[in-house]
């Protein structure tokens, strides 16, 4: 086992084999994990039942609007991605994460690279280490990236690339449909949606990242954390989780602040709204604060497919949503938002419950009493 000091300084966790650990070292023991109760979000959980949207339902847009306003997340069914493909994707990811660490480390993220193998970006902001390994990939550059792990480009490589490409094609088509459904859910008319698309090319220019998560079994799951609580920064994420629950969504009281455990529903995907979508929709659709916990007996895998604006597009509240009102946020690019979030994290803004310096969204919001940002128009803004 490495010395704790070395582990803490190593954002990519080179030295600690989570899968073989017999105890949770101090470096991986998080405080405050049990401040809020965890409640079941399954069917029959009353108002804590995670909303379900069936894309085939003629009233899907209304269900999306309700879920996006009240939860910032929902389970998506009727999406058309074959269940058997999801099973092959999951098996492929499990096989990749089961490779020796030395193979995976060949793809380790270097410095500020957005892509690569290792702990997620937010790991850099915390002194404790998460009980997980991650791998961020650009779907348009899969083969060269995965050659780092499988330099011989043999059978496993071809199979994994093949299944991920098939999956990506399906997911991209789904993301485009979902973006349209969100715009309908916002109450935009057909001509308004066409206008938004013509003006901002939202769907056409959306950028995509696939992030794979592996949460090995943990000998003491009450002390460890798979993924530190956060909001995703982009527009929205489509999450595929294995049949082991572990995703928690935060809900404010009354009756009490709590974590709602998302049930593992075979074939369903989870949709999480991100911060830039909250900005785009002028705060109508809320980003969801969420975390992933770990399990003593079963490892867990998830795949998050992130959609966001093009890196150089300024995102501000859509004028079609703002209407005669005022924009609640100033316009900024995704990279600019990441810088704001870094500052917010440094000030304790990572924890909704204990925010000292304000969350990143608060830092980019426009105070209704001043005129700041009123003329801060962007590519995607009012
Ligand atoms: C597109 C992206 C969203 C993400 C940062 C990234 O460039 C690639 C990884 C993503 C991820 C996954 C785990 C949680 C998260 C907060 C993180 O640290 O890395 C998200 C990022 C995000 O939503 O900001
Ligand atoms: O593993 C999960 O369920 C959550 C993962 C997540 O939040 C992320 O990758 O951004
Ligand atoms: Fe997330």
């Amino acid at each position: 086992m490495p010395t704790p000091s070395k582990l803490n300084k190593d954002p990519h966790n080179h030295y600690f084999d989570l899968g073989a650990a017999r105890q949770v070292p101090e470096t991986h023991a998080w405080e405050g994990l049990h401040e809020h109760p965890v409640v079941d979000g399954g069917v029959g959980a009353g108002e804590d039942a995670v909303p379900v949207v069936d894309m085939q339902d003629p009233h899907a847009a209304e269900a999306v609007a309700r879920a996006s306003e009240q939860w910032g997340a929902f389970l998506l069914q009727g999406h058309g991605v074959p269940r058997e493909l999801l099973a092959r994707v999951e098996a492929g990811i499990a096989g990749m994460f089961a490779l020796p660490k030395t193979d995976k480390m060949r793809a380790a993220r270097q410095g500020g690279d957005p892509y690569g193998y290792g702990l997620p970006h937010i790991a850099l902001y915390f002194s404790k280490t998460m009980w997980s390994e991650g791998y961020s990939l650009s779907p348009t550059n899969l083969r060269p990236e995965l050659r780092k792990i499988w330099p011989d480009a043999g059978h496993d490589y071809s199979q994994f690339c093949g299944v991920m490409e098939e999956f990506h094609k399906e997911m991209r088509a789904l993301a485009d449909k979902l973006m349209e459904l969100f715009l309908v859910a916002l109450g935009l008319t057909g001509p308004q949606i066409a206008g938004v698309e013509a003006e901002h090319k939202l769907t056409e220019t959306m950028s995509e990242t696939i992030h794979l998560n592996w949460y090995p079994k943990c000998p003491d799951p009450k002390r460890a954390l798979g993924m530190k609580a956060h909001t995703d920064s982009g527009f929205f994420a489509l999450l595929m989780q294995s049949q082991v629950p572990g995703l928690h969504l935060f809900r404010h009281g009354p009756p009490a602040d709590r974590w709602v455990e998302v049930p593992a529903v075979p074939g369903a995907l989870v949709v999480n709204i991100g911060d830039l979508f909250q900005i785009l929709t002028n705060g109508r659709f809320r980003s969801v604060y969420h975390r992933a916990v770990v399990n003593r007996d079963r490892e867990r895998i998830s795949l998050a497919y992130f959609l966001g604006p093009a890196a150089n597009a300024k995102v501000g509240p859509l004028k079609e949503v703002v209407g005669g009102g005022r924009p609640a946020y100033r316009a900024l690019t995704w990279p600019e938002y990441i810088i704001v979030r870094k500052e917010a994290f440094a000030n304790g803004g990572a924890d909704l419950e204990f925010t000292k310096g304000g969350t990143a969204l608060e830092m980019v919001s426009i105070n209704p009493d001043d005129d700041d940002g009123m003329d801060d128009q962007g590519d995607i803004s009012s």
Side-chain angles (χ1 to χ4, degrees):
M1 197 183 285
T3 58
S5 61
K6 194 157 197 176
L7 253 179
N8 272 342
K9 286 194 193 105
D10 174 11
H12 300 302
N13 194 11
H14 294 202
Y15 309 99
F16 187 48
D17 183 359
L18 295 175
R22 302 239 191 98
Q23 57 175 358
V24 172
E26 274 311 309
T27 48
H28 291 64
W30 293 73
E31 305 265 311
L33 296 184
H34 310 288
E35 315 234 332
H36 305 296
V38 176
V39 301
D40 176 28
V43 185
E47 70 154 308
D48 279 331
V50 177
V52 178
V53 172
D54 181 348
M55 280 184 98
Q56 302 307 318
D57 182 339
H59 300 290
E62 289 133 64
V64 166
R66 249 189 331 269
S68 306
E69 285 164 1
Q70 294 170 10
W71 285 70
F74 50 89
L75 280 157
L76 189 68
Q77 291 184 316
H79 48 64
V81 183
R83 207 184 277 193
E84 105 10 80
L85 174 58
L86 297 178
R88 279 189 287 132
V89 171
E90 188 181 332
I93 298 171
M96 185 277 295
F97 278 122
L99 289 171
K101 192 108 180 196
T102 44
D103 291 359
K104 295 181 282 185
M105 284 314 298
R106 281 197 295 269
R109 191 175 28 242
Q110 307 295 325
D113 280 3
Y115 305 117
Y117 174 83
L119 281 167
H121 298 241
I122 48 164
L124 294 168
Y125 308 134
F126 303 97
S127 58
K128 296 291 181 178
T129 310
M130 300 176 216
W131 201 269
S132 57
E133 293 181 12
Y135 194 2
S136 299
L137 298 155
S138 162
T140 51
N141 194 38
L142 274 179
R143 285 184 183 255
E145 178 62 38
L146 291 168
R147 270 299 276 274
K148 295 181 189 160
I149 290 193
W150 285 287
D152 64 350
H155 173 264
D156 291 354
Y157 166 81
S158 304
Q159 197 168 25
F160 190 58
C161 291
V163 79
M164 291 303 284
E165 283 165 352
E166 196 181 334
F167 174 74
H168 170 236
K169 210 166 148 215
E170 295 275 349
M171 293 298 273
R172 177 65 215 209
L174 172 59
D176 291 356
K177 279 190 214 142
L178 195 56
M179 176 56 105
E180 174 152 11
L181 188 58
F182 273 127
L183 296 177
V184 175
L186 278 169
L188 269 57
T189 60
Q192 279 178 317
I193 293 176
V196 166
E197 281 304 340
E199 192 181 349
H200 306 301
K201 308 208 168 20
L202 268 187
T203 311
E204 195 182 311
T205 60
M206 259 195 311
S207 68
E208 334 160 76
T209 304
I210 289 180
H211 183 81
L212 313 177
N213 293 300
W214 177 49
Y215 305 101
K217 288 181 209 168
C218 175
D220 194 354
K222 290 242 170 312
R223 293 178 77 214
L225 189 56
M227 176 80 73
K228 167 76 182 143
H230 62 280
T231 50
D232 298 330
S233 59
F235 281 161
F236 54 89
L238 284 154
L239 191 85
M240 184 196 90
Q241 59 165 345
S242 55
Q243 292 308 298
V244 182
L247 173 62
H248 289 176
L249 309 177
F250 190 74
R251 295 205 83 197
H252 286 285
D257 290 354
R258 58 210 183 274
W259 289 106
V260 177
E261 182 163 272
V262 179
V265 179
L269 297 165
V270 183
V271 178
N272 281 346
I273 289 178
D275 290 345
L276 288 176
F277 216 51
Q278 179 162 332
I279 294 176
L280 188 78
T281 63
N282 206 32
R284 215 182 121 193
F285 293 172
R286 320 284 306 177
S287 62
V288 63
Y289 188 58
H290 58 283
R291 68 178 186 181
V293 296
V294 289
N295 194 287
R296 188 191 299 278
D297 309 308
R298 297 171 73 187
E299 66 172 34
R300 177 169 179 270
I301 279 163
S302 71
L303 177 156
Y305 174 54
F306 293 101
L307 284 308
N312 59 358
K314 285 236 188 227
V315 179
L318 285 171
K319 64 173 179 305
E320 291 76 2
V321 180
V322 174
R326 295 172 65 99
Y329 300 99
R330 67 182 169 89
L332 74 181
T333 65
W334 198 355
E336 284 164 354
Y337 184 71
I338 296 293
I339 294 170
V340 174
R341 186 173 69 170
K342 187 173 174 189
E343 218 178 295
F345 272 123
N347 296 330
D351 283 294
L352 282 191
E353 307 101 299
F354 309 111
T355 301
K356 290 171 230 141
T359 63
L361 276 172
E362 283 161 7
M363 288 168 71
V364 299
S365 67
I366 298 173
N367 184 334
D369 300 330
D370 68 37
D371 275 344
D372 258 19
M374 282 302 285
D375 26 77
D376 198 0
Q377 300 202 339
D379 305 341
I380 307 178
S381 65
S382 54

